[in-house]
Amino acid sequence: MDPRPTLRVAVQIERECQPNRWEDWRFRVTQVVTDDGDFGAAPRTLRDDGRHAIFLHPGLSVTLFSDEAEGYQLNLDSGAPAWFVLWRVADDDPARAWPERVTLSYHEAGRLLDAQERVDSLPLPPELVSWLAAFAQAHPRSEPRRRRRPASFQAPDER
């Protein structure tokens, strides 16, 4: 197996105009599909009737790293394996959003959420579940991390 397998994907984002009186725009990630290069390189509008719009953002990469294998395994063990999509809204144009990153690691998604990022999850197709499982099994979990006592709490002769 490739040490860093990479999969190209395209992300579809839906935009809704004034879904309620508190929001001007609402965005949600609606689909992640594998991208064989058929979608081109530039984002494009699939539909826009003024109220609802659907945008396709191709060319994102999902790369698996051996040090994230535990996060992949947690995603698989969750019972509902998922894509995790980090997306942003433009500061200068609140009607525009785009996906920034796609990951399959439960740990990475947690770190992004801890950093107050917008992360949506979508179900992972069965054929990719087996691909991810093969990678996670090829890179078994590391030993549990042991807490190291800070040097300031150790006696001077133990430092």
Side-chain angles (χ1 to χ4, degrees):
M1 178 173 255
D2 184 2
R4 286 194 182 158
T6 300
L7 181 68
R8 285 179 45 97
V9 297
V11 176
Q12 186 174 298
I13 295 182
E14 180 181 293
R15 179 186 72 194
E16 184 179 359
C17 180
Q18 296 181 327
N20 55 52
R21 62 181 168 180
W22 297 280
E23 293 178 289
D24 290 330
W25 303 99
R26 178 184 297 161
F27 296 94
R28 70 184 184 103
V29 177
T30 57
Q31 191 174 16
V32 178
V33 296
T34 56
D35 179 4
D36 297 331
D38 298 337
F39 301 123
R44 66 179 188 227
T45 304
L46 299 178
R47 185 184 106 192
D48 190 355
D49 63 11
R51 182 117 174 94
H52 291 88
I54 299 174
F55 305 97
L56 183 68
H57 299 268
L60 289 123
S61 295
V62 178
T63 303
L64 300 182
F65 296 93
S66 59
D67 59 345
E68 282 290 338
E70 185 177 357
Y72 305 139
Q73 191 62 51
L74 282 173
N75 187 4
L76 293 165
D77 293 344
S78 71
W83 301 101
F84 300 104
V85 181
L86 162 67
W87 59 278
R88 298 213 163 111
V89 175
D91 290 334
D92 59 341
D93 182 6
R96 188 172 66 87
W98 68 93
E100 189 80 23
R101 184 185 319 173
V102 180
T103 185
L104 294 169
S105 171
Y106 197 81
H107 286 319
E108 186 176 1
R111 289 189 298 268
L112 293 169
L113 288 168
D114 287 346
Q116 303 295 310
E117 296 285 0
R118 293 179 174 104
V119 178
D120 286 356
S121 63
L122 292 164
L124 189 64
E127 64 273 10
L128 293 176
V129 170
S130 59
W131 175 72
L132 183 61
F135 182 84
Q137 289 171 358
H139 299 86
R141 295 180 186 183
S142 59
E143 291 191 25
R145 295 183 191 138
R146 295 186 183 166
R147 186 173 185 276
R148 292 185 59 204
R149 191 174 182 148
S152 61
F153 290 104
Q154 294 176 347
D157 58 331
E158 294 176 5
R159 293 185 196 166

